[in-house]
Amino acid sequence: MPSVGGAIVGALLTADPHAKAMAARKVARDWRLGRLDFVFDAAMPDRPARPDRPELLPPNQMPKRGKGGSERGRIALWHALAHIEFVAIDLALDIAGRFGAEMGREFVSDFLAVAADEAMHFALLDRHLVSLGSGYGALPAHDGLWEAAEETAHDVAARLAIVPMVLEARGLDVTPATIVRARTQGDESGARILERILDDEIRHVAVGAKHFNVCARIRREDAENLWISLVRRHFRGGLKPPFNDSARVAAGLSLSACGALAC
């Protein structure tokens, strides 16, 4: 029987965006159906395979999106969202493969399910881009999300603290306003896609918080204090309010801890 570690590496090393999305969903399905052994016999790559496009730029070199109501600005927004979801596929695969042996079967199941969700989100957003006359890869994108993975590759608690509990949690704060903007522009299909993504991302952040709390118990540390210390060590800058308090509470995040890092 193939190993889950090897299957994850295969998906990470798939460059084509649509093939990667399909590969992530297949790994999740095969694991759920018992077709993969709980074996990690392949090293996770330092970087996942990437397509030739989009061109990846440092965050400070990204072109301005333009006015939000313009066609150019709308396409740039949806392209940025599609890129976030594309990288999120790799982030979920990598955490399952890199730390699964240490954290156990439930951890692997949870994050492979997240990877499958992110693949579906990417497919929906790319299809929406096509409906706008564009597509994923048409514009440059930045690699800041994967830089967070590199920064935390040594420590599962740090990875959980930064990726689901800071970066994904930021989506809980900003997505409601983006939904309103889409509806104001008459983009009902885009608004419905974002509502689906928001619901799923609350669950994803909750998965991160659940396993972070496990790490804190194993280390015999207070979860809030551990999270604050890891964010200060591994995340540049503080957290930007306003926060979506209800979504954060639903995801199991501490509002007091978020407030301690607000800037």
Side-chain angles (χ1 to χ4, degrees):
M1 186 182 294
S3 71
V4 68
I8 290 171
V9 169
L12 285 168
L13 294 181
T14 301
D16 178 80
H18 300 97
K20 185 187 289 286
M22 291 176 61
R25 297 182 74 172
K26 184 177 188 303
V27 174
R29 182 173 61 253
D30 286 349
W31 171 255
R32 187 177 67 250
L33 296 175
R35 297 171 180 165
L36 298 172
D37 268 342
F38 183 67
V39 173
F40 297 87
D41 51 358
M44 294 301 114
D46 291 336
R47 291 184 59 82
R50 289 280 185 262
D52 293 335
R53 298 179 66 83
E55 177 188 8
L56 295 180
L57 300 174
N60 60 3
Q61 293 183 20
M62 285 290 293
K64 300 289 185 183
R65 286 184 190 168
K67 294 183 179 179
S70 68
E71 182 178 357
R72 175 188 169 196
R74 290 177 62 203
I75 289 174
L77 170 64
W78 290 104
H79 191 277
L81 294 173
H83 181 66
I84 289 169
E85 298 298 327
F86 178 65
V87 178
I89 300 170
D90 285 327
L91 289 170
L93 289 169
D94 183 80
I95 195 172
R98 190 173 298 275
F99 302 111
E102 170 187 351
M103 295 294 292
R105 288 177 176 271
E106 183 178 350
F107 182 92
V108 173
S109 296
D110 284 346
F111 280 102
L112 288 183
V114 169
D117 285 347
E118 307 294 18
M120 182 268 292
H121 296 167
F122 169 75
L124 290 173
L125 290 166
D126 183 56
R127 192 180 308 156
H128 194 60
L129 275 171
V130 171
S131 76
L132 297 174
S134 187
Y136 182 62
L139 298 174
H142 72 76
D143 208 26
L145 289 174
W146 191 257
E147 290 172 4
E150 292 174 330
E151 169 71 20
T152 57
H154 64 291
D155 180 5
V156 63
R159 176 68 65 86
L160 291 165
I162 302 303
V163 174
M165 298 175 72
V166 171
L167 298 177
E168 286 194 80
R170 181 61 180 155
L172 307 184
D173 302 330
V174 301
T175 301
T178 310
I179 293 170
V180 171
R181 188 191 316 170
R183 285 211 162 94
T184 300
Q185 296 168 348
D187 188 355
E188 181 61 30
S189 63
R192 288 198 301 268
I193 290 170
L194 292 178
E195 286 175 337
R196 170 65 184 272
I197 291 174
L198 179 59
D199 287 344
D200 288 344
E201 295 298 347
I202 291 172
R203 288 190 295 101
H204 297 175
V205 176
V207 164
K210 176 181 77 172
H211 290 289
F212 183 82
N213 288 336
V214 170
C215 291
R217 287 197 298 271
I218 291 170
R219 299 181 187 197
R220 298 183 180 180
E221 295 191 47
D222 176 78
E224 284 193 24
N225 291 338
L226 178 61
W227 182 73
I228 290 170
S229 68
L230 288 170
V231 174
R232 284 176 172 161
R233 192 179 314 157
H234 297 289
F235 184 71
R236 297 179 183 88
L239 308 187
K240 296 179 181 178
F243 300 127
N244 184 344
D245 289 353
S246 61
R248 284 177 174 262
V249 169
L253 299 182
S254 162
L255 296 183
S256 61
C258 295
L261 293 169
C263 63

